[in-house]
Amino acid sequence: MVVDQHSETEIDRLFQAFSDATRRDIVRRVTVGEYSVSGLAALYAMSFAAVQKHVAVLERASLVTKEKRGREQIVRGNHDGLQKARQLLDEYEAIWRQRVDRIADILAEK
Amino acid sequence: MVVDQHSETEIDRLFQAFSDATRRDIVRRVTVGEYSVSGLAALYAMSFAAVQKHVAVLERASLVTKEKRGREQIVRGNHDGLQKARQLLDEYEAIWRQRVDRIADILAEK
DNA sequence: ATATCCTACAACCAAATGGTTGTAGATCAG
DNA sequence: CTGATCTACAACCATTTGGTTGTAGGATAT
């Protein structure tokens, strides 16, 4: 495998971030509206610190942004990460379509 | 969070499977053509057993299928997992679009 | 001024992950 | 038949992950 190390670990982080139900829920929530970290923490049956870590994972994956406002940290959705993930999966879908086309061509030759 | 446990852990597995560069490479390869597990193992700087585990992770995520042929196990791409992942991300994209529409409506009211 | 709220971060823990080596059973080739 | 190949799986190991509690500091409200 000779792949760009930087972007590959970025993609690792992106899908890793999506692979947890709590984090996916956070992403949905903060895309619709604003939440402070403690506001999010109130929603789940886990400690504030645990939610804080989830938000940190999402931020590193560009799925969420944080902005300090007074004593609160406001969490909002970040479209960048989602767009990158979707683009990635579109590439895999394109490989499937090429394969289907290739098989169709072979059948047509007969 | 009151979510369907079964499908949620399925999604966990799906994105978890995508969060590793070797596994993503395997998915691309076996979508284009057929590979035995040892055929795949020859491509990477890791043991046969490690690749075997990666394939197992992909199989559980419905990103790949295995079929025994003689003494070999043939690995092929499985479109189901990819489709599910793409559908999921499309739902997140839809949330974004709703948000954009909502903001546009508010602006239009003024 | 002081108590409360929100956040950051360290230290710790159990379980999962990604890798290894080794063993054993099928299947194939000569 | 024998040896080589392919796979499955167990046992082990280091690191990461997802959670906890505790401490400390900055911002807010009374």
Side-chain angles (χ1 to χ4, degrees):
Chain A
M1 258 199 325
V2 189
V3 281
D4 181 356
Q5 188 63 27
H6 300 298
S7 106
E8 285 297 307
T9 58
E10 232 179 80
I11 297 167
D12 289 357
R13 277 199 291 267
L14 192 50
F15 286 116
Q16 174 68 27
F18 268 119
S19 73
D20 180 278
T22 302
R23 285 196 291 263
R24 287 193 299 272
D25 194 62
I26 291 175
V27 168
R28 273 178 252 125
R29 302 242 189 203
V30 302
T31 299
V32 173
E34 287 182 359
Y35 283 84
S36 67
V37 179
S38 59
L40 285 171
L43 300 171
Y44 308 103
M46 68 184 73
S47 69
F48 171 82
V51 174
Q52 206 176 18
K53 283 190 189 181
H54 281 310
V55 171
V57 169
L58 291 170
E59 192 183 20
R60 271 171 58 88
S62 301
L63 286 169
V64 136
T65 62
K66 283 197 308 185
E67 188 197 348
K68 203 167 181 177
R69 197 164 68 191
R71 70 181 153 184
E72 294 185 327
Q73 197 79 258
I74 302 301
V75 183
R76 293 194 189 83
N78 182 358
H79 194 256
D80 292 357
L82 178 59
Q83 201 154 29
K84 183 153 194 167
R86 277 168 39 89
Q87 180 200 313
L88 243 296
L89 295 194
D90 282 351
E91 291 175 19
Y92 285 81
E93 183 67 24
I95 298 175
W96 272 98
R97 289 208 204 92
Q98 285 167 26
R99 180 192 192 246
V100 170
D101 290 349
R102 201 159 32 75
I103 290 168
D105 286 352
I106 289 166
L107 291 178
E109 278 177 17
K110 292 188 181 171
Chain B
M1 257 200 323
V2 189
V3 279
D4 181 355
Q5 188 63 26
H6 300 298
S7 108
E8 285 297 308
T9 57
E10 232 179 80
I11 298 168
D12 289 357
R13 277 200 290 267
L14 191 50
F15 286 116
Q16 174 68 27
F18 267 120
S19 73
D20 179 278
T22 301
R23 285 196 290 262
R24 288 193 298 274
D25 193 63
I26 291 175
V27 168
R28 272 179 253 124
R29 301 240 190 205
V30 301
T31 299
V32 173
E34 288 182 358
Y35 283 83
S36 68
V37 179
S38 60
L40 285 170
L43 301 170
Y44 309 103
M46 67 184 73
S47 69
F48 171 82
V51 174
Q52 205 176 17
K53 283 191 188 179
H54 281 308
V55 171
V57 168
L58 291 170
E59 192 183 20
R60 270 172 60 87
S62 301
L63 286 169
V64 137
T65 62
K66 281 197 307 185
E67 188 197 346
K68 203 166 180 175
R69 197 163 68 192
R71 70 181 153 184
E72 293 186 328
Q73 198 78 257
I74 301 301
V75 184
R76 294 194 188 81
N78 182 358
H79 194 254
D80 292 357
L82 178 60
Q83 200 154 30
K84 182 153 196 170
R86 277 168 39 90
Q87 181 199 313
L88 244 296
L89 295 194
D90 283 351
E91 291 174 19
Y92 285 81
E93 182 68 23
I95 298 175
W96 270 99
R97 288 206 205 94
Q98 285 167 25
R99 179 193 194 247
V100 169
D101 290 349
R102 201 160 33 75
I103 291 167
D105 286 351
I106 290 165
L107 291 176
E109 278 175 17
K110 291 188 179 170

